[in-house]
Amino acid sequence: MSDQDILALLKNGHREKAFQKLYQLYPRIEKLILRQGGNKADANDVFQEALIILYRNLQTTNFELSSSFYTYLYSVSRFVWSDLKKQISKQELKELKTDEIEQFQKVIEEKKYKLAEHAFLEIGQRCQRLLQLFYIKAMSFKDIAKDMQFKSAKIAKNQKYKCLQKAKDIYQTKSKSVQF
């Protein structure tokens, strides 16, 4: 049966007979979907959707089939499958379990902590001591200056800034070479 015969069947209300003929094209569409990572259920859904689109288009008075039914269904099926794959990808992302996300965040935090620890260890003992006095012992810059034998609190404050900057530079350099 030719494409023109199938078209005449559809236009004259003999949908079942026409669709029986169109279903003979299904194996070729299935092969397309399987080749592009889908399964048989996906292929069936895509083909059904392509047939619905074809039928709706045939219902409009200005629609003309300018290619074979196979070419038309193949083209529509490709677009339907492409859209379906995008939807599946978005849904898979949404379905990431909360605990998986939390685990992923913990791994990232652990890596960041290790980088910060590494940076702290590389800044030298004098900077380490200064930062510990300020952050852990909560000493004032005046007391830090006395303890570390700086001439003034202002010098202690400037040294703290330089030590933090050095640690930050080391951290940033190392974090660029580590994948999160």
Side-chain angles (χ1 to χ4, degrees), residues 15 44 46 50 58 81 101 122 129 137 162-163 166:
R15 289 187 329 196
N44 192 28
V46 167
L58 288 171
W81 176 239
I101 293 170
E122 279 196 27
R129 176 144 173 75
K137 294 191 176 181
K162 287 179 182 179
C163 290
K166 185 176 179 182

Side-chain angles (χ1 to χ4, degrees), residues 2 6-7 11 30 45 66 72 74 85 154 169 177:
S2 73
I6 295 171
L7 190 57
K11 291 196 177 204
E30 181 184 66
D45 291 344
S66 58
Y72 181 84
Y74 185 90
K85 280 196 317 190
K154 187 175 182 178
D169 291 344
S177 66

Side-chain angles (χ1 to χ4, degrees), residues 143-158:
D143 292 336
I144 292 172
K146 254 189 218 175
D147 186 271
M148 295 192 70
Q149 300 174 352
F150 292 127
K151 290 184 180 180
S152 69
K154 187 175 182 178
I155 292 174
K157 186 176 181 178
N158 286 341

Side-chain angles (χ1 to χ4, degrees), residues 7-146:
L7 190 57
L9 287 172
L10 285 167
K11 291 196 177 204
N12 294 325
H14 301 289
R15 289 187 329 196
E16 260 186 62
K17 201 171 191 178
F19 280 119
Q20 284 176 346
K21 294 298 178 184
L22 289 172
Y23 265 94
Q24 292 174 358
L25 301 173
Y26 173 75
R28 294 163 78 185
I29 302 300
E30 181 184 66
K31 190 182 285 186
L32 163 74
I33 302 305
L34 293 175
R35 247 191 348 250
Q36 293 186 3
N39 57 39
K40 289 185 181 233
D42 293 330
N44 192 28
D45 291 344
V46 167
F47 189 71
Q48 293 289 331
E49 186 67 29
L51 286 176
I52 291 169
I53 292 169
L54 169 66
Y55 187 71
R56 285 186 184 148
N57 282 334
L58 288 171
Q59 298 299 315
T60 62
T61 55
N62 60 349
F63 179 76
E64 265 188 56
L65 187 65
S66 58
S67 63
S68 69
F69 277 114
Y70 170 71
T71 303
Y72 181 84
L73 289 172
Y74 185 90
S75 180
V76 170
S77 294
R78 273 189 28 239
F79 288 115
V80 169
W81 176 239
S82 176
D83 286 346
L84 187 62
K85 280 196 317 190
K86 288 176 191 171
Q87 289 173 0
I88 290 169
S89 295
K90 287 178 184 176
Q91 188 161 348
E92 285 173 349
L93 285 175
K94 288 178 185 175
E95 290 175 356
L96 276 177
K97 295 177 185 156
T98 306
D99 60 331
E100 289 174 329
I101 293 170
E102 288 173 3
Q103 284 296 98
F104 182 68
Q105 288 173 331
K106 285 178 184 176
V107 168
I108 290 174
E109 289 303 314
E110 181 65 24
K111 284 185 177 184
K112 287 180 179 179
Y113 175 78
K114 287 200 180 294
L115 287 173
E117 183 180 43
H118 177 76
F120 181 75
L121 293 173
E122 279 196 27
I123 60 174
Q125 289 183 348
R126 189 157 171 84
C127 278
Q128 289 173 11
R129 176 144 173 75
L130 191 152
L131 295 175
Q132 287 172 337
L133 292 175
F134 183 79
Y135 288 108
I136 296 172
K137 294 191 176 181
M139 290 175 66
S140 69
F141 285 115
K142 184 179 177 184
D143 292 336
I144 292 172
K146 254 189 218 175

